[in-house]
Amino acid sequence: MSGPLLDVAAVGKRFGGFVALSDITLAVPRGERLGLIGPNGSGKSTLVNCICGTLRNDAGSVTFNGHRLDGLPAHRRTRLGLARSFQLPRPFHTMTLAENVQVPILYAARSRGHRGPGSGLRDGAEALLDMVGLGGKAHQRPADLTQIEMRKLELAKAMASDPQMLIADEVMAGLSHREVDEILAMLLKLNESGITFIMIEHIMRAVLAFSQRLVVLVAGRKIADGPPHEVIRDDDVVAAYLGR
Amino acid sequence: MENLRFGLGAVVVAACVFIAAKLIGNQYVFFAGYVVLQYIVLATAWNILGGFTGYVNFGTAAFFAIGAYATVVLHKTTSLPMPVMILIGGVLAGIVGLGTGYLTLRLRGTFFSIATLAMAVVMQTLVTNWDFVGGSRGAYVIRPAKSPLLGGNYIEYLFLLMLALSVIAVVAARAIQHSTLGLGFASIRDDEGAAEAAGVPTLRLKLLATVLSGGFMGMAGAPLPYYVTYLDPASGFSLSYAVNTIAMPLIGGTASWLGPVIGAVLLGTLQQVATVTISSALSLLIVGVLLVLFVIAAPRGIVGWFQR
Ligand SMILES: Nc1ncnc2c1ncn2[C@@H]1O[C@H](COP(=O)(O)OP(=O)(O)OP(=O)(O)O)[C@@H](O)[C@H]1O
Ligand SMILES: [Mg+2]
C-alpha cells in the first residue's frame, strides 16, 4: 500500500460541552518516528484513545493501513497492528509478568497468524521481558514492580501484539537519564526493524533525539507540524509553552 | 493431556464418593449429598463468570429455575430420560444467558449485578403467572421409584447424575482456567480496557462466560423437580441459591477452579448439618456470617491462604 500507514482526518472529540480535540488532521508514513508534544491537558492522550478505539471520536475518521477504523472496537484495531501503551500503566495485576505479556501474544499477534518474537509462547514472553530489562522477573506480579518497571512492562505488552505502529504515551516519565537512553536505543532498534512510532513525551531531550517530525497540540488543536528543530522555534509553540 | 489426566482423576474420586455413599447405606446420605453436589455445580458455574471474568451475577436463581421449570414442562409433555432433560435445561439456560448477556454485559460492575437481579425478578414473575407449570400454586412431579442405573432408588440415581455433572463442571472450569480462554477471562477481570488494547475480544468472551455459566446453572436445576417432587416459584427462585452461590466461591477463593469446590463442600455440608440439627433459617445465617468474615479477613478465600 502506498498511502500513509496512519491517516487521521479532521478528528474531533468532546466531553460534554468541553472540546478536547477539534479538527485534528495528521498523516504518518510507514517507518516514521513522529513526536507528539503539547502542554498538560492539550488532548494528546485523548487523541491516542480516539485512534486506538478506547474512546469514540465524534467527528472525522481514522484510517490505518488502508482500513477505516471508525466504529471498530479497540481489540480489532490492536489486531490490525496498532498498539499503544497507557500513560498510567494498566497491568493485569493478578497475573505474572510473563502472563501479562502472553495475553497480547495470544490474542493479537497470533490472531494474525504471526508467531510473535521467539518460537514458543514462553520464549516469546521471556524475550519481550528481556528486551525491556525485566527478564529476571517473569514470575513476579505487577505489585512487586516499581513505577518505572511498570512502564517497561507496559511497553513490553504493547510490543507483544507484534505491531506495525506503536504509540508510546509517556513511557519515559520518571526514568533516569541512563534509562531514558536505554529505552531510546531500544525504540530506535524497533523502528529500524520496521515499526512506525508516535512518541508522546514531555522529556524534550528524548523527543528531539528520537523524532523525525514533531506535531504540537495546544488546547485540542494542532498548532504546528514539521521538522523538530523548526517547530520548537516556532513563535506559537514557544508562546504556548511559556504561557504567553 | 493434562486435562485428560485430571478428568480421569476426578472420575475416580467421584466413583469413590458414590461407593462410599452406597456402603454407608443410609438414604439420608444421598438426600443431603445431592444438595452439596448441586452446589458444587452451581458455585463452579457462578465462578466461570464471577470469579474468572469478575462479573458478579445475582441472578443464579433464574438460570437454575429455568432448568427446573424446563423439566416440569418436559415431564408434562414427554417421557424423556433425565440426562436429556438436564441437557435441554442447560441449553435453554445458556440461551437465556446469551440474551441477558447481550443486553447487560455492556454495563460494568455493579450495574451488571443489579441487571441480573432484575432479570431473576422478571423470570419469577413470568413463571408465577404461567399456569401450565402450576403458576403460584406450584407443580407436582411424580418421581419413579427405582433408579434405571446401578440399582437403588431414584434419589440415588439423581445423586449419581449430579455427581457426574459436578465432575464435568469442575473439569471444564479447570480446563478453561489454564487455557488461552482463561487468560482472556482473567485479563477482563483485571482491566477490561487494557484487555481490549491487548487484542482480547472482551464482549465475545464475556458472552461465552455467561453462556457457560448459565448453562451449567440450568443443568444443576433440571433434576430439582424430581428431587423435591413439588416445585413452586418461591422455592425454585429462592434467594438462598443466589446467596449460597456467591458465598461459596468467595469463601473458597474465586481465582481458581478449586475455590468453589472447597466452598461448596464446606458450606453445603455445614448447612445440611445445621438444617437437620438446628433449623434451616440458621443455616442461611451461618452463610451470611461466614461471608462477611471472609470478605473482611480473607478476601482471597481459603485457596488464598495456601498461596503467597
Ligand atoms: N474521560 C474524560 N472525561 C472528561 N474529560 C476528559 C476525559 N479525558 C480527558 N479529559 C479532558 O480532556 C483534556 C485533554 O486530556 P488529555 O489526557 O488528552 O491530555 P494530555 O495532553 O494527554 O495531557 P498530559 O500531558 O497531562 O497527559 C483534559 O482537559 C482532560 O481533563
Ligand atoms: Mg496524556
Side-chain angles (χ1 to χ4, degrees):
Chain A
M1 250 165 285
S2 53
L5 181 60
L6 177 73
D7 196 0
V8 177
V11 160
K13 177 73 190 169
R14 296 167 157 273
F15 295 113
F18 175 74
V19 180
L21 292 175
S22 86
D23 201 27
I24 303 289
T25 294
L26 179 66
V28 186
R30 210 172 283 275
E32 191 178 46
R33 301 190 301 273
L34 177 75
L36 178 59
I37 61 170
N40 289 116
S42 56
K44 303 180 296 294
S45 296
T46 303
L47 180 60
V48 177
N49 288 335
C50 288
I51 293 172
C52 296
T54 304
L55 290 173
R56 291 286 153 88
N57 42 309
D58 315 315
S61 70
V62 180
T63 308
F64 179 76
N65 204 11
H67 301 271
R68 279 288 290 263
L69 299 187
D70 309 285
L72 279 191
H75 72 270
R76 294 278 303 279
R77 304 184 193 208
T78 306
R79 288 174 170 197
L80 286 172
L82 181 56
R84 60 90 56 92
S85 70
F86 286 97
Q87 182 173 355
L88 291 175
R90 291 169 71 168
F92 302 125
H93 55 87
T94 63
M95 301 182 194
T96 63
L97 300 202
E99 287 167 335
N100 262 273
V101 175
Q102 282 169 10
V103 174
I105 292 181
L106 287 167
Y107 278 93
R110 295 223 171 147
S111 77
R112 288 200 301 278
H114 293 216
R115 306 236 63 197
S119 48
L121 178 60
R122 238 158 250 194
D123 295 345
E126 299 265 347
L128 282 158
L129 291 173
D130 266 342
M131 186 182 77
V132 296
L134 293 174
K137 306 200 170 200
H139 300 292
Q140 298 191 16
R141 275 166 223 281
D144 303 329
L145 300 185
T146 63
Q147 269 305 311
I148 291 160
E149 289 172 323
M150 212 87 102
R151 284 176 199 285
K152 293 179 173 173
L153 175 63
E154 193 66 22
L155 200 56
K157 276 170 70 187
M159 280 308 303
S161 66
D162 196 13
Q164 297 186 51
M165 170 177 269
L166 201 162
I167 307 181
D169 196 351
E170 297 197 30
V171 284
M172 290 185 264
L175 266 58
S176 73
H177 200 283
R178 193 174 53 79
E179 282 171 322
V180 167
D181 288 340
E182 264 173 43
I183 300 273
L184 275 179
M186 190 184 84
L187 297 186
L188 281 168
K189 218 167 83 193
L190 291 171
N191 175 248
E192 269 164 37
S193 76
I195 299 176
T196 308
F197 273 91
I198 298 181
M199 176 193 278
I200 298 174
E201 204 45 80
H202 282 298
I203 304 173
M204 267 306 179
R205 179 178 76 82
V207 190
L208 290 178
F210 185 76
S211 311
Q212 298 165 319
R213 179 159 71 109
L214 210 52
V215 166
V216 186
L217 288 192
V218 173
R221 295 182 169 277
K222 185 170 105 170
I223 63 156
D225 183 344
H229 288 280
E230 285 172 28
V231 164
I232 54 163
R233 271 190 289 273
D234 183 290
D235 288 343
D236 291 342
V237 175
V238 172
Y241 267 92
L242 300 180
R244 267 185 276 134
Chain B
M1 236 2 253
E2 165 60 19
N3 287 328
L4 192 69
R5 209 175 317 138
F6 179 80
L8 288 176
V11 169
V12 171
V13 171
C16 293
V17 168
F18 189 70
I19 292 168
K22 276 274 195 196
L23 288 179
I24 296 173
N26 182 338
Q27 277 310 296
Y28 180 74
V29 171
F30 289 101
F31 258 104
Y34 174 89
V35 176
V36 175
L37 290 169
Q38 168 192 288
Y39 274 122
I40 291 181
V41 179
L42 279 177
T44 300
W46 184 90
N47 204 50
I48 291 175
L49 182 65
F52 292 178
T53 75
Y55 275 74
V56 172
N57 175 5
F58 283 145
T60 300
F63 295 105
F64 182 75
I66 287 168
Y69 273 96
T71 297
V72 171
V73 173
L74 292 170
H75 173 76
K76 291 183 76 164
T77 55
T78 69
S79 53
L80 290 170
M82 196 61 232
V84 178
M85 292 192 184
I86 292 178
L87 217 58
I88 294 175
V91 169
L92 283 177
I95 291 171
V96 171
L98 186 66
T100 45
Y102 211 81
L103 293 174
T104 58
L105 280 171
R106 287 157 216 271
L107 306 172
R108 302 243 164 132
T110 331
F111 295 107
F112 171 79
S113 305
I114 292 168
T116 55
L117 190 59
M119 185 214 35
V121 173
V122 171
M123 288 280 183
Q124 182 168 0
T125 311
L126 287 177
V127 169
T128 307
N129 289 291
W130 189 14
D131 274 335
F132 186 73
V133 293
S136 58
R137 284 171 290 105
Y140 289 91
V141 168
I142 296 155
R143 180 165 69 207
K146 289 269 156 265
S147 163
L149 226 88
L150 301 178
N153 64 23
Y154 205 76
I155 287 293
E156 293 183 27
Y157 178 55
L158 292 180
F159 177 91
L160 188 65
L161 287 177
M162 202 48 90
L163 191 60
L165 202 52
S166 321
V167 169
I168 295 170
V170 170
V171 170
R174 183 179 176 281
I176 290 170
Q177 185 192 327
H178 295 296
S179 69
T180 299
L181 189 59
L183 200 62
F185 285 169
S187 73
I188 293 172
R189 172 187 64 208
D190 286 356
D191 186 331
E192 206 164 323
E196 273 283 328
V200 179
T202 57
L203 182 62
R204 203 184 323 152
L205 258 54
K206 288 188 295 180
L207 285 174
L208 189 58
T210 317
V211 169
L212 288 170
S213 179
F216 274 119
M217 287 174 178
M219 290 199 258
L224 182 72
Y226 283 82
Y227 176 80
V228 291
T229 67
Y230 166 72
L231 181 68
D232 66 345
S235 59
F237 286 90
S238 165
L239 185 65
S240 62
Y241 292 118
V243 173
N244 277 324
T245 329
I246 293 173
M248 288 164 179
L250 284 181
I251 287 172
T254 54
S256 87
W257 61 275
L258 186 58
V261 177
I262 293 177
V265 170
L266 276 183
L267 262 190
T269 310
L270 197 65
Q271 280 189 303
Q272 286 303 306
V273 173
T275 304
V276 173
T277 54
I278 315 170
S279 81
S280 59
L282 186 85
S283 77
L284 206 57
L285 182 69
I286 293 177
V287 175
V289 170
L290 279 175
L291 187 55
V292 171
L293 280 180
F294 268 84
V295 167
I296 293 171
R300 298 204 298 137
I302 293 171
V303 172
W305 293 344
F306 298 98
Q307 292 163 349
R308 57 171 199 124

